[in-house]
Amino acid sequence: MSHSISRRAALVAGAALPMAAGFGLPRIARAQQAEGMEMELPTHRVFMLGDVKVTDLLAGSRVVPDPHSIFGLNVDDETFAQVSDEHFIPSDKARFFFNPVLIEAGGEVILVDTGTDPAGITAALEAAGKQPSDVTHVVLTHMHGDHIGGLMTEAGEKTFANAAHHAGRVEFDYWAGQENEGFESKVRPLEGELNFLVEGDQVGPLTTMEAFGHTPGHLVFTVAGGESDLLLMGDLANHYVWSVGQPDWHVSFDVDKEMAVETRRRVLSMAAENRMPVMGYHMPFPGLGYVSAEGEGFRWMPHTYQLML
Ligand SMILES: [Zn+2]
Ligand SMILES: [Zn+2]
């Protein structure tokens, strides 16, 4: 009896191992295994920007293998490993975060980006005391699957039934010509009601800035309310070391890699010079911090208590 119990325990323990050492498992299986947030990560965090309530929502998180196949395509393995080591992070795997942001001001409830699927964003909203039906505006930085995935339910209905939907004109036109499955199922159904944003357009306290390169019509937003505007940088830079720290490193997800580098430098310089608080969709949760110019790139300093005084 005790033998069979210990054997069973050993099997169970063995079943948990592939996360750490499962080199034989296909990539997709490992990604799914990590999808359930079994590490008990937090679901949301609230900050105040003057009178504006900002809630960072963790709509999903996963461990991804071989990050050098994504970041630093134009540097060798040794450089990638060295930079990772200097920052105390492994070079063979990374944890990805998906952080939509909820902005509440003047009675409006504005959701910026929607996660990979309706379940993730709905769970994060509910944990923060909100229902999808409370959202008055949905704003998209761009139309990659991990930003538009929460827009429509499995049944093909709008997740945010009472919201006005806003997205970039250039971005929409690009994906509309791509025969992209995600776009067709999540964005195309909203075509007739989308409000198209260009540089300078406002949604509540948000002001639109065009920051093209990651995708052809990628947008970032500044949020007015505090002593200094908050920058919602979307996917301008998708890792605090390998992209904020190394803005010249090419990223597989950037549609136009050179334009992405130029835009990253321009927008991060603006944030550094103006000492703006910055939120990044893929920064480690809660994805809020500051950037300063350092070396050939920028340094990401996670928020501690500056907006909680
Ligand atoms: Zn993206
Ligand atoms: Zn993304």
Side-chain angles (χ1 to χ4, degrees), residues 98 142 144 146-147 214 234-235 238 281-282:
F98 303 88
H142 65 299
H144 274 152
D146 54 318
H147 298 253
H214 173 67
D235 279 10
N238 283 342
Y281 192 78
H282 296 292

Side-chain angles (χ1 to χ4, degrees), residues 23 35 42 76 99 140 145 165 169-170 246 280 283 301 308:
F23 296 108
E35 194 100 59
D76 59 27
N99 303 323
L140 299 175
H165 290 70
R169 166 101 253 172
V170 174
Q246 306 289 336
M283 292 299 106
M301 282 162 287
M308 303 170 79

Side-chain angles (χ1 to χ4, degrees), residues 222-291:
T222 56
V223 185
E227 284 172 28
S228 177
D229 286 1
L230 166 70
L231 172 68
L232 304 180
M233 72 170 175
D235 279 10
L236 178 85
N238 283 342
H239 192 278
Y240 73 108
V241 171
W242 302 319
S243 198
V244 173
Q246 306 289 336
D248 297 338
W249 283 15
H250 286 181
V251 181
S252 65
F253 300 134
D254 291 346
V255 174
D256 185 328
K257 291 171 180 51
E258 284 301 334
M259 192 193 290
V261 167
E262 235 171 80
T263 302
R264 204 150 38 233
R265 285 199 164 280
R266 173 171 60 84
V267 177
L268 290 176
S269 294
M270 176 199 75
E273 279 163 24
N274 294 293
R275 301 175 67 83
M276 300 170 79
V278 178
M279 295 184 88
Y281 192 78
H282 296 292
M283 292 299 106
F285 182 86
L288 174 66
Y290 296 85
V291 293

